[in-house]
Amino acid sequence: MNKRRIARTAVRRTVRPPMRRRRRRRPGFSFFLVTLLILAIALLYIFAGELLFPSRDDNAVMPVEGEIIVTFIDVGQGDSILVRDGNHAVLIDAGEHRARQAVIDYLNEAGITFIDYVVATHPHSDHIGGLVTVLRDFDVGYVLMPDATNDTETFLNFLDAIENNDISTRFPSPGDRVQAGIIDMVVKGPEPGHHANLNNASIVLRMQHGQTSFLFTGDAEVAAENWLVETWGTSLQSNVLKVGHHGSRTSTTESFLRTVNPAAAVIQSGEGNRHGHPHQEVVDRLEAHGVTIYRNDQLGTIRMITNGQSIFTP
C-alpha cells in the first residue's frame, strides 16, 4: 500500500534591521539638545513604556467584547469540542466515526456552515474518526494536526478527506497562535520531536478571552504534562481544564493540576466505557483541589459561555 503523505509547509519570516548611514557629528552639537533628548527618552519610558514594550505574557488580560460559546459535544468515548463566536468556529476533534452524526447534528443546529480551523489533536480514531464526514460536509479553512502518523484505516481515510476536499494543512508549533474572530488560542504542545506514545503528540491549546481561560489537552499523558509544566509554568493557569485522556490515571498529575489550578474540569468519556474512564483517583484528585467536575457520561453535551468576565453554563 502506498503511504499517503501531506507536504509540510512552513512560513518563515526574516526581519533584517534597516541599514543606517553614518553621519558626521557636527562640531557644534549642543549639550543642551543632548539633555533634552535624554529627558524625552526618560519620559517615554515612564509614560509609554507599555506601548513601546508591550507585555508578551500569554495570560495578559485584554479588553474584549462579545461572547464565546464552548461546547463539549457528547460523542460517547471520545473528544469533540466546538468553540465559536458569532461568526467564527474552531472544531477540536470529532469522536469516533460512529459518533459523526452527533457532531454533524450539533454543527447544523448551531448554524455552522464554515469552520475556520479543524484541529485533529492526534491520530487516534476516538478523536479523528468523525472528522472525515465533517471535512466532506462543511467548508473548512485549515486543518491543524501534529507531526505524527498512524497506520490505521481511520487515519488514512482522514488524510484522504483532506486531500479530496483540497483543505490546507498546518502543523503548529508551541507558541503559535490560532485566531478566528475573537477566538484567540496559543499552542502549548506537543513537545517537538517524535512521540512513541501518540497521546503525547496531542496538540494542546490554551484560549484566553478577557479574564477567562480554557485549556484543551487532547489525550496528553504524564510525560507531556511534565513537559508542559517545565516549559510554560504558571502561564498554563486556566479557569476550565479539559481533562486529558478522558480522565484516565495516565493524566492529570498532581503537579499539572496544581499548575493549571482550574475552577472547573470537563471529562469527555462515554457512559459505561470499557476503559473505566474516568478513573476514580483522577476524580478524587480533582475534588481534593475543589474543582467542579462536568462529565459527558453524566450530563450529555456540555455548553459553557464566556463573556470575558465570567463563565456560565446555560
Side-chain angles (χ1 to χ4, degrees):
M1 177 182 294
N2 293 328
K3 290 187 177 180
R4 302 173 175 86
R5 297 180 304 142
I6 295 178
R8 180 172 185 174
T9 59
V11 178
R12 290 185 170 85
R13 298 176 181 172
T14 302
V15 180
R16 296 181 179 178
M19 298 295 293
R20 296 181 179 178
R21 295 181 179 179
R22 294 178 177 269
R23 295 183 178 180
R24 287 186 178 181
R25 184 176 176 181
R26 287 177 150 183
F29 193 80
S30 171
F31 175 78
F32 176 71
L33 291 177
V34 173
T35 303
L36 284 179
L37 180 61
I38 293 173
L39 180 60
I41 293 173
L43 289 173
L44 283 173
Y45 268 82
I46 294 172
F47 296 107
E50 188 61 26
L51 178 61
L52 291 172
F53 305 101
S55 171
R56 297 182 61 121
D57 181 5
D58 289 334
N59 293 359
V61 175
M62 303 297 291
V64 295
E65 291 184 4
E67 292 182 340
I68 294 177
I69 302 173
V70 181
T71 305
F72 301 86
I73 304 170
D74 182 11
V75 291
Q77 185 65 14
D79 273 17
S80 186
I81 305 163
L82 177 65
V83 182
R84 59 190 170 102
D85 63 11
N87 301 298
H88 300 272
V90 176
L91 179 66
I92 305 172
D93 295 328
E96 293 276 6
H97 180 66
R98 62 177 175 269
R100 65 193 182 281
Q101 198 58 50
V103 178
I104 297 300
D105 288 346
Y106 190 84
L107 292 173
N108 287 328
E109 289 171 10
I112 303 297
T113 57
F114 176 77
I115 305 173
D116 297 80
Y117 293 94
V118 164
V119 182
T121 58
H122 64 293
H124 278 159
S125 63
D126 58 332
H127 292 253
I128 65 170
L131 288 179
V132 174
T133 306
V134 171
L135 298 179
R136 183 196 67 194
D137 291 356
F138 291 84
D139 290 332
V140 173
Y142 296 95
V143 168
L144 304 184
M145 58 188 292
D147 190 9
T149 61
N150 204 349
D151 290 331
T152 63
E153 183 178 358
T154 299
F155 182 64
L156 296 177
N157 289 338
F158 170 66
L159 296 185
D160 282 343
I162 293 173
E163 182 179 358
N164 293 340
N165 294 282
D166 195 26
I167 302 172
S168 298
T169 305
R170 293 182 176 178
F171 302 82
S173 300
D176 289 350
R177 302 193 88 90
V178 178
Q179 295 177 299
I182 60 174
I183 300 168
D184 188 2
M185 302 181 181
V186 175
V187 178
K188 296 295 188 178
E191 177 183 6
H194 173 72
H195 297 273
N197 181 349
L198 289 177
N199 285 340
N200 288 328
S202 293
I203 293 177
V204 176
L205 296 165
R206 182 181 183 277
M207 182 182 77
Q208 178 97 29
H209 185 55
Q211 299 176 12
T212 65
S213 49
F214 291 72
L215 188 65
F216 308 106
T217 59
D219 275 359
E221 296 189 7
V222 173
E225 290 183 349
N226 289 342
W227 181 84
L228 289 166
V229 170
E230 292 170 4
T231 304
W232 295 102
T234 55
S235 70
L236 292 174
Q237 192 281 323
S238 301
N239 300 117
V240 178
L241 169 67
K242 200 293 294 184
V243 174
H245 201 190
H246 319 289
S248 168
R249 62 176 61 92
T250 62
S251 307
T252 320
T253 64
E254 180 68 28
S255 172
F256 185 70
L257 189 54
R258 199 165 49 242
T259 302
V260 177
N261 191 30
V266 179
I267 301 175
Q268 293 211 274
S269 58
E271 184 178 4
N273 67 86
R274 63 187 177 88
H275 306 286
H277 294 158
H279 290 145
Q280 190 59 46
E281 54 260 52
V282 173
V283 174
D284 291 345
R285 196 175 301 136
L286 289 165
E287 290 178 343
H289 280 262
V291 179
T292 301
I293 302 172
Y294 297 85
R295 295 169 49 169
N296 284 134
D297 62 335
Q298 295 179 343
L299 301 172
T301 293
I302 298 162
R303 192 159 62 112
M304 297 183 176
I305 301 175
T306 170
N307 58 12
Q309 300 294 322
S310 59
I311 301 169
F312 55 96
T313 55

